[in-house]
Amino acid sequence: MAPRNPYAPATPRPASVARAFRSLQPAHREILTETVFRDRSVNEAAVSLGLPVGEVKVRVYHALRALHNALGT
């Protein structure tokens, strides 16, 4: 196993990610659930949620930024 890079960002713990996820707005949780947890493509999530593909992309972008901010990273 290679030694850890001291300059690499720390990986958040699963409990921290779960807390951060729960703190998100419902719309952010919904879009991340569709695309990340259900492993759906943007096209599949768009069909499932009844949204245009472009809107799904925008929502994923904002949801990931919100998650990043909630994690404090």
Side-chain angles (χ1 to χ4, degrees), residues 47-73:
V47 169
S48 175
L49 297 171
L51 296 169
V53 172
E55 180 64 23
V56 171
K57 290 179 181 181
V58 168
R59 288 185 186 194
V60 168
Y61 172 79
H62 287 290
L64 288 174
R65 282 184 52 123
L67 183 62
H68 178 75
N69 289 337
L71 286 167
T73 57

Side-chain angles (χ1 to χ4, degrees), residues 5-66:
N5 178 348
Y7 302 105
T11 303
R13 297 183 183 270
S16 298
V17 175
R19 264 192 312 278
F21 180 79
R22 287 191 304 268
S23 76
L24 297 178
Q25 297 174 10
H28 288 162
R29 288 194 310 265
E30 176 184 51
I31 201 70
L32 292 179
T33 297
E34 288 295 316
T35 56
V36 176
F37 297 119
R38 293 188 177 147
D39 197 28
R40 292 186 172 153
S41 69
V42 172
N43 291 339
E44 292 169 331
V47 169
S48 175
L49 297 171
L51 296 169
V53 172
E55 180 64 23
V56 171
K57 290 179 181 181
V58 168
R59 288 185 186 194
V60 168
Y61 172 79
H62 287 290
L64 288 174
R65 282 184 52 123

